[in-house]
Amino acid sequence: MNHKPLLDYINKYINLTVEEEAILLAKIVHRNYLKDQYIVQQGDICKSANFIISGCTKTFYTNLEGQEHIVMFSIEDWWTSDLGSFITQKPADFNVQCIERTQLIQFTYDNLEELYIEIPKLERLFRKIVERAFVASQKRIIRNFSLTAKERYLIFKENYPKIEQRIPQYMIASYLGITKEFLSKIKNQLIHNQ
Amino acid sequence: MNHKPLLDYINKYINLTVEEEAILLAKIVHRNYLKDQYIVQQGDICKSANFIISGCTKTFYTNLEGQEHIVMFSIEDWWTSDLGSFITQKPADFNVQCIERTQLIQFTYDNLEELYIEIPKLERLFRKIVERAFVASQKRIIRNFSLTAKERYLIFKENYPKIEQRIPQYMIASYLGITKEFLSKIKNQLIHNQ
DNA sequence: AATAGATGTTAATCTAGTTTAACTTCATTT
DNA sequence: AAATGAAGTTAAACTAGATTAACATCTATT
């Protein structure tokens, strides 16, 4: 059981004592998912906040016409969940699915509520994590409004240089909010530097 | 000095003792802004998290061509700030400007850091607030991708029935990510139920 | 009451991105 | 090695929404 990435990650935000680490480790579960398996499905109640040790997930919404819209990709050292469903314990709006074989650490809702009481410092940890996630989300809204698809694609490549090779084009298009055909056209334009 | 809306708001999330309330109230500042005054300007370091007692603000980004893109409106019983700038104490990406005469309570960065230490429960309060804000922001990204401008306008009217009368059309258009001319067209279509 | 400035509307023209559909490439299974 | 299917490309026709520009309305100030 490899806890190190989680503890290293936590220690960037707060300092846990050895006893606190032990309390925390007693309440987590390691879990392995295969490629294409779902961690959360739209309509389910999201039971866990998940810290990724290895692998990659996509969080997406499927509308009535069956079109997928990807809100985020998550990789090693990041979290994945339907946070809205998790915090309210109501049915999820989003699906979370593994794009690769994924190894993660799960905090169930009840265990995390207990941990907040046993180790109040964790409130600070998660406050800081969600603050950063919120800021990134707001910036994404602005990019979607004020930039063209080509500009958004270039920024995506800059921000996630390693992810692009791991993810099919049509998912990147979905994340950018365009069709796979138009992404294909953009890439062609970039090759012929237009 | 009217603290009641703030204390009522806080008590929906956590319970403060009388002593804790006193500590908190000692560290806040009441502030009044006139219509059109700025609370934060792009490039400034955002010095405060602001709880609105009365009035209304817009948070927006101005791009190089001078176009405004509104990320959020804030009214009574809600927060306004450039959170990204506030938490990192680096220059703001956004402007926060009053659309009406606005009365608010300010938490400066240093005071809030001290409060987190004196009243650790506040970590929980702000964790929960930001969690909800993040969830709303994710849902907005999906709406922008998967709905037409007309659908987004109708949802806006549903979600903010009282705000619409208080805010000029061109700002609503900016929030929806469309031009004021196109919003005008949408409204005309809705009148003639197309 | 006249002027100026901000806000809102209408309509013509234009464009970024979608849709549809046919084709290619690549990996997987039999 | 052939066959199936998933992923990606290309190109033509189409549309949601932008741009431009002229005009209308409303308000505040002198």
Side-chain angles (χ1 to χ4, degrees):
Chain A
M1 294 306 180
N2 179 16
H3 306 126
K4 193 167 180 301
L6 175 63
L7 296 177
D8 287 350
Y9 174 87
I10 292 175
N11 276 292
K12 283 190 285 184
Y13 291 95
I14 57 171
N15 295 309
L16 292 182
T17 65
V18 180
E19 297 78 50
E20 287 167 339
E21 284 190 359
I23 293 171
L24 187 139
L25 294 179
K27 294 239 161 132
I28 62 174
V29 176
H30 278 261
R31 191 81 195 266
N32 289 302
Y33 287 91
L34 299 176
K35 185 166 184 291
D36 296 336
Q37 281 190 314
Y38 283 82
I39 298 171
V40 187
Q41 290 194 62
Q42 240 167 289
D44 287 356
I45 288 166
C46 178
K47 299 269 196 307
S48 59
N50 308 283
F51 180 82
I52 302 179
I53 301 292
S54 68
C56 184
T57 68
K58 61 173 173 175
T59 302
F60 64 102
Y61 169 76
T62 305
N63 70 10
L64 298 168
E65 290 97 57
Q67 290 161 321
E68 268 189 37
H69 297 279
I70 296 178
V71 246
M72 69 184 289
F73 296 112
S74 306
I75 53 166
E76 299 81 28
D77 277 348
W78 191 239
W79 296 84
T80 192
S81 180
D82 180 323
L83 187 65
S85 170
F86 183 72
I87 66 177
T88 61
Q89 289 290 290
K90 288 183 182 155
D93 292 311
F94 297 115
N95 303 280
V96 179
Q97 189 180 14
C98 297
I99 300 178
E100 303 172 354
R101 205 169 171 290
T102 298
Q103 207 185 126
L104 45 77
I105 290 177
Q106 294 191 317
F107 291 77
T108 66
Y109 183 80
D110 292 338
N111 281 352
L112 188 55
E113 288 297 316
E114 288 167 21
L115 280 172
Y116 282 137
I117 292 162
E118 297 176 81
I119 313 173
K121 263 182 279 186
L122 291 180
E123 301 271 9
R124 165 170 281 239
L125 170 70
F126 284 99
R127 171 178 63 81
K128 291 194 171 189
I129 292 170
V130 183
E131 277 174 354
R132 276 159 183 73
F134 173 71
V135 169
S137 183
Q138 296 274 88
K139 287 191 180 167
R140 182 148 177 239
I141 289 173
I142 287 299
R143 282 200 300 269
N144 289 342
F145 279 158
S146 63
L147 302 180
T148 63
K150 192 189 276 183
E151 291 167 326
R152 278 180 273 144
Y153 173 59
L154 290 172
I155 288 176
F156 175 80
K157 288 195 4 156
E158 250 175 64
N159 290 351
Y160 304 98
K162 293 157 213 154
I163 276 193
E164 209 191 352
Q165 336 310 329
R166 294 164 65 171
I167 293 174
Q169 292 300 317
Y170 74 90
M171 289 188 195
I172 293 173
S174 169
Y175 177 86
L176 294 173
I178 58 177
T179 58
K180 65 186 199 313
E181 291 84 356
F182 192 56
L183 177 55
S184 194
K185 194 172 181 178
I186 287 171
K187 285 173 61 187
N188 193 11
Q189 285 175 0
L190 288 171
I191 289 167
H192 304 88
N193 47 276
Q194 285 172 259
Chain B
M1 293 305 179
N2 179 16
H3 305 127
K4 193 168 179 299
L6 175 63
L7 296 176
D8 287 351
Y9 174 87
I10 291 175
N11 276 293
K12 284 189 286 184
Y13 291 95
I14 57 171
N15 295 308
L16 292 182
T17 64
V18 181
E19 297 79 48
E20 287 168 337
E21 283 189 359
I23 293 171
L24 187 138
L25 294 178
K27 294 238 161 129
I28 62 173
V29 176
H30 278 261
R31 193 76 196 267
N32 288 303
Y33 286 90
L34 298 176
K35 184 167 185 290
D36 295 337
Q37 282 190 314
Y38 283 82
I39 299 170
V40 187
Q41 291 195 61
Q42 237 166 291
D44 286 356
I45 287 166
C46 177
K47 299 270 198 301
S48 60
N50 308 283
F51 180 82
I52 302 178
I53 301 293
S54 68
C56 184
T57 68
K58 60 173 173 175
T59 301
F60 64 102
Y61 168 77
T62 305
N63 69 11
L64 298 169
E65 289 97 57
Q67 289 160 323
E68 267 189 37
H69 297 279
I70 297 178
V71 248
M72 70 184 290
F73 296 113
S74 305
I75 54 167
E76 298 80 29
D77 277 347
W78 190 237
W79 297 83
T80 192
S81 180
D82 179 323
L83 186 65
S85 169
F86 183 72
I87 65 176
T88 61
Q89 290 291 291
K90 287 182 184 156
D93 292 311
F94 297 115
N95 303 279
V96 180
Q97 189 180 16
C98 298
I99 299 177
E100 303 172 353
R101 207 170 167 291
T102 299
Q103 208 186 126
L104 44 79
I105 290 177
Q106 295 192 315
F107 293 76
T108 64
Y109 182 79
D110 292 339
N111 281 352
L112 188 54
E113 288 297 315
E114 287 167 21
L115 281 171
Y116 281 137
I117 292 162
E118 296 176 80
I119 313 172
K121 264 182 276 188
L122 292 180
E123 302 270 9
R124 165 170 281 240
L125 169 70
F126 284 99
R127 171 177 64 81
K128 291 194 171 190
I129 292 170
V130 184
E131 277 175 353
R132 275 158 182 73
F134 174 71
V135 168
S137 182
Q138 296 273 88
K139 287 190 179 166
R140 182 148 177 240
I141 289 173
I142 287 299
R143 283 200 301 270
N144 290 343
F145 279 157
S146 62
L147 302 179
T148 63
K150 192 189 276 180
E151 290 166 328
R152 277 179 274 146
Y153 173 60
L154 291 171
I155 288 178
F156 174 80
K157 285 190 15 153
E158 251 176 64
N159 290 351
Y160 304 97
K162 293 156 213 154
I163 277 193
E164 208 190 354
Q165 337 309 328
R166 293 164 67 171
I167 293 174
Q169 292 301 317
Y170 73 90
M171 288 187 197
I172 293 173
S174 169
Y175 178 85
L176 294 172
I178 58 178
T179 58
K180 64 187 202 311
E181 289 86 354
F182 192 57
L183 178 55
S184 195
K185 195 172 180 178
I186 287 171
K187 286 173 62 186
N188 194 13
Q189 285 176 0
L190 288 170
I191 291 166
H192 303 89
N193 46 278
Q194 288 172 255

Short mmCIF file of all heavy atoms in Angstrom, two decimals, chain B residues 64-84:
data_model
loop_
_atom_site.label_atom_id
_atom_site.label_comp_id
_atom_site.label_asym_id
_atom_site.label_seq_id
_atom_site.Cartn_x
_atom_site.Cartn_y
_atom_site.Cartn_z
N LEU B 64 -7.52 42.48 -23.68
CA LEU B 64 -6.66 43.49 -24.31
C LEU B 64 -7.43 44.42 -25.25
O LEU B 64 -7.05 45.58 -25.42
CB LEU B 64 -5.52 42.80 -25.08
CG LEU B 64 -4.58 41.96 -24.19
CD1 LEU B 64 -3.66 41.09 -25.01
CD2 LEU B 64 -3.78 42.87 -23.25
N GLU B 65 -8.50 43.91 -25.85
CA GLU B 65 -9.33 44.77 -26.71
C GLU B 65 -10.32 45.63 -25.91
O GLU B 65 -11.15 46.32 -26.49
CB GLU B 65 -10.13 43.93 -27.72
CG GLU B 65 -9.29 43.28 -28.82
CD GLU B 65 -8.95 41.85 -28.48
OE1 GLU B 65 -9.88 41.06 -28.26
OE2 GLU B 65 -7.74 41.51 -28.40
N GLY B 66 -10.26 45.51 -24.59
CA GLY B 66 -11.13 46.33 -23.75
C GLY B 66 -12.52 45.75 -23.53
O GLY B 66 -13.38 46.41 -22.96
N GLN B 67 -12.75 44.50 -23.98
CA GLN B 67 -14.05 43.88 -23.75
C GLN B 67 -14.16 43.35 -22.32
O GLN B 67 -13.24 42.69 -21.85
CB GLN B 67 -14.27 42.71 -24.72
CG GLN B 67 -14.48 43.15 -26.15
CD GLN B 67 -14.21 42.01 -27.12
OE1 GLN B 67 -13.30 41.21 -26.91
NE2 GLN B 67 -15.01 41.94 -28.17
N GLU B 68 -15.30 43.62 -21.71
CA GLU B 68 -15.59 43.13 -20.37
C GLU B 68 -16.22 41.74 -20.40
O GLU B 68 -17.15 41.51 -21.18
CB GLU B 68 -16.65 44.03 -19.72
CG GLU B 68 -16.10 45.15 -18.90
CD GLU B 68 -17.21 45.84 -18.12
OE1 GLU B 68 -18.16 45.18 -17.64
OE2 GLU B 68 -17.11 47.07 -18.02
N HIS B 69 -15.77 40.84 -19.54
CA HIS B 69 -16.41 39.53 -19.41
C HIS B 69 -16.74 39.32 -17.94
O HIS B 69 -15.83 39.21 -17.11
CB HIS B 69 -15.48 38.42 -19.91
CG HIS B 69 -15.17 38.54 -21.37
ND1 HIS B 69 -16.03 38.10 -22.35
CD2 HIS B 69 -14.12 39.09 -22.01
CE1 HIS B 69 -15.51 38.34 -23.54
NE2 HIS B 69 -14.36 38.94 -23.37
N ILE B 70 -18.04 39.25 -17.64
CA ILE B 70 -18.47 39.15 -16.24
C ILE B 70 -18.49 37.69 -15.79
O ILE B 70 -19.12 36.86 -16.42
CB ILE B 70 -19.85 39.81 -16.05
CG1 ILE B 70 -19.74 41.32 -16.36
CG2 ILE B 70 -20.38 39.57 -14.64
CD1 ILE B 70 -21.04 42.09 -16.26
N VAL B 71 -17.76 37.38 -14.71
CA VAL B 71 -17.80 36.01 -14.15
C VAL B 71 -18.90 35.83 -13.14
O VAL B 71 -19.44 34.75 -13.02
CB VAL B 71 -16.50 35.58 -13.41
CG1 VAL B 71 -15.80 34.49 -14.16
CG2 VAL B 71 -15.61 36.72 -13.05
N MET B 72 -19.17 36.86 -12.34
CA MET B 72 -20.24 36.71 -11.38
C MET B 72 -20.81 38.03 -10.92
O MET B 72 -20.15 39.06 -10.98
CB MET B 72 -19.79 35.89 -10.16
CG MET B 72 -18.79 36.58 -9.25
SD MET B 72 -18.21 35.51 -7.88
CE MET B 72 -19.69 35.38 -6.88
N PHE B 73 -22.06 37.98 -10.50
CA PHE B 73 -22.69 39.07 -9.78
C PHE B 73 -22.78 38.63 -8.32
O PHE B 73 -22.96 37.45 -8.03
CB PHE B 73 -24.12 39.32 -10.29
CG PHE B 73 -24.18 39.76 -11.72
CD1 PHE B 73 -24.74 38.95 -12.69
CD2 PHE B 73 -23.71 41.01 -12.10
CE1 PHE B 73 -24.80 39.35 -14.02
CE2 PHE B 73 -23.77 41.43 -13.43
CZ PHE B 73 -24.31 40.60 -14.38
N SER B 74 -22.65 39.58 -7.39
CA SER B 74 -22.83 39.24 -5.98
C SER B 74 -23.80 40.22 -5.35
O SER B 74 -23.72 41.43 -5.60
CB SER B 74 -21.49 39.33 -5.23
OG SER B 74 -20.52 38.53 -5.85
N ILE B 75 -24.70 39.69 -4.53
CA ILE B 75 -25.68 40.55 -3.84
C ILE B 75 -25.67 40.27 -2.34
O ILE B 75 -24.79 39.54 -1.86
CB ILE B 75 -27.11 40.33 -4.40
CG1 ILE B 75 -27.48 38.85 -4.36
CG2 ILE B 75 -27.24 40.90 -5.79
CD1 ILE B 75 -28.96 38.59 -4.58
N GLU B 76 -26.60 40.87 -1.64
CA GLU B 76 -26.77 40.70 -0.20
C GLU B 76 -26.56 39.24 0.22
O GLU B 76 -27.07 38.32 -0.44
CB GLU B 76 -28.21 41.05 0.23
CG GLU B 76 -28.67 42.44 0.00
CD GLU B 76 -29.11 42.70 -1.43
OE1 GLU B 76 -29.58 41.75 -2.09
OE2 GLU B 76 -28.94 43.84 -1.90
N ASP B 77 -25.87 39.05 1.34
CA ASP B 77 -25.66 37.72 1.90
C ASP B 77 -24.77 36.83 1.04
O ASP B 77 -24.89 35.60 1.08
CB ASP B 77 -26.99 36.99 2.13
CG ASP B 77 -27.61 37.40 3.46
OD1 ASP B 77 -26.92 38.04 4.28
OD2 ASP B 77 -28.79 37.09 3.67
N TRP B 78 -23.94 37.47 0.22
CA TRP B 78 -22.98 36.68 -0.52
C TRP B 78 -21.63 37.39 -0.50
O TRP B 78 -21.53 38.52 -0.02
CB TRP B 78 -23.48 36.40 -1.94
CG TRP B 78 -22.64 35.40 -2.66
CD1 TRP B 78 -22.01 35.57 -3.84
CD2 TRP B 78 -22.33 34.07 -2.21
NE1 TRP B 78 -21.30 34.43 -4.16
CE2 TRP B 78 -21.48 33.50 -3.18
CE3 TRP B 78 -22.67 33.31 -1.09
CZ2 TRP B 78 -20.96 32.21 -3.05
CZ3 TRP B 78 -22.16 32.03 -0.96
CH2 TRP B 78 -21.33 31.49 -1.94
N TRP B 79 -20.60 36.71 -1.00
CA TRP B 79 -19.24 37.22 -0.93
C TRP B 79 -18.79 37.81 -2.25
O TRP B 79 -19.25 37.41 -3.32
CB TRP B 79 -18.28 36.10 -0.53
CG TRP B 79 -18.59 35.58 0.83
CD1 TRP B 79 -19.53 34.65 1.15
CD2 TRP B 79 -18.01 36.00 2.06
NE1 TRP B 79 -19.56 34.46 2.51
CE2 TRP B 79 -18.63 35.27 3.09
CE3 TRP B 79 -17.00 36.92 2.40
CZ2 TRP B 79 -18.30 35.43 4.42
CZ3 TRP B 79 -16.67 37.07 3.73
CH2 TRP B 79 -17.31 36.33 4.73
N THR B 80 -17.84 38.72 -2.19
CA THR B 80 -17.24 39.25 -3.41
C THR B 80 -15.78 39.54 -3.13
O THR B 80 -15.41 39.98 -2.04
CB THR B 80 -18.03 40.48 -3.91
OG1 THR B 80 -17.61 40.80 -5.22
CG2 THR B 80 -17.86 41.69 -3.01
N SER B 81 -14.96 39.23 -4.12
CA SER B 81 -13.50 39.34 -3.97
C SER B 81 -12.88 38.84 -5.27
O SER B 81 -13.58 38.29 -6.11
CB SER B 81 -13.06 38.44 -2.81
OG SER B 81 -11.67 38.50 -2.63
N ASP B 82 -11.56 39.05 -5.46
CA ASP B 82 -10.85 38.23 -6.43
C ASP B 82 -10.14 37.18 -5.60
O ASP B 82 -9.06 37.40 -5.07
CB ASP B 82 -9.86 39.05 -7.26
CG ASP B 82 -9.11 38.16 -8.26
OD1 ASP B 82 -8.78 37.02 -7.92
OD2 ASP B 82 -8.86 38.62 -9.38
N LEU B 83 -10.79 36.01 -5.46
CA LEU B 83 -10.29 35.00 -4.55
C LEU B 83 -8.88 34.55 -4.91
O LEU B 83 -8.04 34.34 -4.03
CB LEU B 83 -11.23 33.79 -4.49
CG LEU B 83 -10.86 32.75 -3.44
CD1 LEU B 83 -10.97 33.29 -2.03
CD2 LEU B 83 -11.73 31.50 -3.57
N GLY B 84 -8.59 34.45 -6.21
CA GLY B 84 -7.27 34.02 -6.66
C GLY B 84 -6.20 34.97 -6.16
O GLY B 84 -5.15 34.55 -5.66
#
